[in-house]
Amino acid sequence: MFNLVIFGPPGAGKGTQSIQIAGKYRLAHISTGDIFRSEIRNQTPLGLKVSGIIERGELVPDELLIDLLRSAMRKCTDVRGFVFDGFPRTLRQAADLDHLLEEDGEKVNLTLALEVEDQELITRLLIRAQREGRKDDTQEVIANRLNVYQNQTSPLIEYYKKQGKFKAVRGQGTIDEIFDRLCTEIETSLSSR
Ligand code: ADP
């Protein structure tokens, strides 16, 4: 299998690029943000538990992520690998993911980070707020999400760098340009296996 983590701050374009990558390389796309939004829409017990947390731009507690991820992965049978989008977001989640993949004799093969300047991120998120009306896309919550990213998620860069699995890609330009950059890295990684 080929397991890819798409990494980056809120608004970096992880969702858009993950869908295209999953399509091209026939990987299963798992977005924890999408899973939570669907739970909230359907007012499931999990959805009710996490909606306030997400609206404030905080992270859902790590303990809630691992079972969710395991069941999302188990639903995908016959896959060539996964694209993880919005997960892991903490060191604990990264360790949990490693253990989960180990259960199946697998590992994270590559982490691709989309790099975008803060000002551009804020602009993109405010535009998305108007278009999609996401409750966590207000100016105040966006600032909080960027802080949370800095404090809790960016330490993962070192975690994956130490394992030689980290590649940064410029996340500014057209969607197609960025997609090409990501594909180049994926193909380099695939061919060096
Ligand atoms: P973005 O990357 O644009 O912030 P996502 O759609 O990935 O958006 O996530 C939206 C929100 O869902 C996050 O701000 C967080 O509250 C929650 N969330 C998603 N994935 C995780 C995760 N792996 N751990 C904790 N919380 C998460």
Side-chain angles (χ1 to χ4, degrees), residues 134-184:
R134 259 176 62 166
K135 286 199 179 140
D136 58 349
D137 280 344
T138 64
Q139 200 135 19
E140 201 189 333
V141 177
I142 288 170
N144 195 25
R145 282 159 59 204
L146 292 174
N147 271 328
V148 167
Y149 171 80
Q150 270 312 324
N151 297 330
Q152 303 191 50
T153 306
S154 67
L156 289 176
I157 297 173
E158 271 313 305
Y159 180 86
Y160 287 119
K161 268 188 183 166
K162 274 192 198 138
Q163 300 178 28
K165 293 177 179 171
F166 185 86
K167 282 276 169 196
V169 164
R170 210 170 99 80
Q172 289 177 238
T174 66
I175 290 176
D176 288 347
E177 281 165 358
I178 300 163
F179 182 57
D180 283 346
R181 290 176 201 143
L182 294 169
C183 291
T184 304

Side-chain angles (χ1 to χ4, degrees), residues 8-11 14 31-34 36-37 53-54 57-62 65 85-89 93 125 128 134 136 145:
K14 299 186 294 288
S31 157
T32 44
D34 286 350
F36 287 133
R37 280 184 289 278
I53 299 175
I54 291 180
E58 290 159 13
L59 292 186
V60 172
D62 287 336
L65 266 295
D85 162 11
F87 183 94
R89 258 178 157 91
Q93 290 180 17
L125 291 168
R128 184 167 80 185
R134 259 176 62 166
D136 58 349
R145 282 159 59 204

Side-chain angles (χ1 to χ4, degrees), residues 95-108:
D96 285 347
L97 177 61
D98 286 346
H99 294 138
L100 198 57
L101 289 169
E102 270 164 28
E103 287 171 19
D104 297 322
E106 296 293 335
K107 60 177 183 178
V108 170

